[in-house]
Amino acid sequence: MKVYNTLTRKKEEFVPMEEGKVKMYVCGPTVYDYIHIGNARPYVVFDTVRRYLEYKGYEVTYVQNFTDVDDKIINRANKENSSMQEISDRYIEEAFRDADGLNVRRATIHPRVTQEMDGIVEMIQTLVDKGFAYADNGTVYYNTKMFPEYGKLSRKNLDELIAGGSERVAVDDAKKNPTDFVLWKPKKEGEPSWSSPWGDGRPGWHIECSVMARHHLGETIDIHAGGEDLIFPHHENEIAQSEAANGKPFARYWLHNGFITVDNEKMSKSLGNFFTVRDIAAQFPYEVIRFFILNGHYRSPINFSRELMQACQNGLERIKNARKELDFYIKNAQDTKMTAEEKTRSAELGNYKAQFEEAMDDDFNTADAVSVIYELVRFSNIAVKAGVSKEYALMIQDMLDHLCGVLGIAEVQEDTVSDEDVAKIEALIAQRTEAKQAKDFAKADAIRDELAAMGVTIKDTRQGVQWSKE
Ligand code: AMP
Ligand code: ZN
């Protein structure tokens, strides 16, 4: 399996540190609002990476944090006359609701910054003791000049950064070098704070992830992931902190997802093209949002538009319909064994699996993996029409479920229609069949209308009447 490693700018063979085990950290959202469609991309993409790793037999420890200490959360709390804790608790819960809707599995551990303060203070102290950090009036800075490899992930050169005055390098007179960054900042009046050897205050953003990754996964981890905007400075700074404090390489593979634009423009609140996942879920089912994200390769930019979402909805419907047809076929088919010809053809089924794995093994190419599923859907529809044996239909169904399950799409829903409704619907269908046999078409049509009013659509097939309820 090959993965593109931002650190080396190459696709590399994936070999975890410990055989059969993967330690993976994904930067999570700052919780001051609902998650937006951009945030949904790393959620869905790295959930799929995890599912595929598990499919390959790895035991994955997946850590995704919540940043629950931040200026944006404090501002929101002040505006609403609330507390930072209340705001972050609320939006963590909302983020979980969206993640559940998107079929994103819970991480093994979801650490929160507020619960990691001891570790944060300890790591900053180590950096000070080792000469990588300095304190000035209650603020502690990381001294980037002390870490010769600074810039190795983003391929930025320190001198260029300083001369160019990059917008991401904050100006501050107390810093020894313009690229130095804050590890600890002093308390401001009315803000939450924690005690430290440098006075009361709170941590900078970057140190949080270094500490949470080490606490829950160890000093060296296999995969570190997040959106591409995090490469600099966030991930660059994480490397500087972790490698200086631990004296060991931090993450072996760095994976970054591309950005989502809206109508080909950068998504921003001021342009009015900013969508939360919740906004979109009011217009399209959550599963379509997941499918939309997986229709592109995770490193390519993707553009969000209503037309594309519509196309994805239709595509997903096609897969789900094929699945339903198969289900119905199998329920109603006689228990027949595969014919000799089917036995030969069943090898073709294995080809779909091989192609799917080939796509996913190539740096998680979900776009190609989805194409393979479409081909399997075509294969399945033809088989059902041709009236294959039940044993063969079951094999196709297994394969379709198997591949869709890896991507977390078109999963089989438990039947939500009550037993009472099922009995009523089936009685009406039986009456309609009788009416048709008696050539009483007016009655048959009336029953069809009655069923439609109940939200039931019916379809006459060779195996009998197929029905579904909204
Ligand atoms: P934030 O809450 O802004 O720190 O973002 C949380 C995660 O979402 C990070 O991994 C970001 O890189 C990612 N992210 C933010 N905006 C977008 C976007 N428009 N497209 C893709 N990923 C994004
Ligand atoms: Zn992070």
Side-chain angles (χ1 to χ4, degrees), residues 25-28 65 67 205-206 208-210 212 224-225 230 234-235 238:
Y25 185 93
V26 183
C27 291
N65 70 294
T67 296
W205 172 35
H206 316 299
E208 300 165 357
C209 287
S210 283
M212 289 185 275
H224 194 127
L230 300 186
H234 185 53
H235 290 162
E238 280 189 45

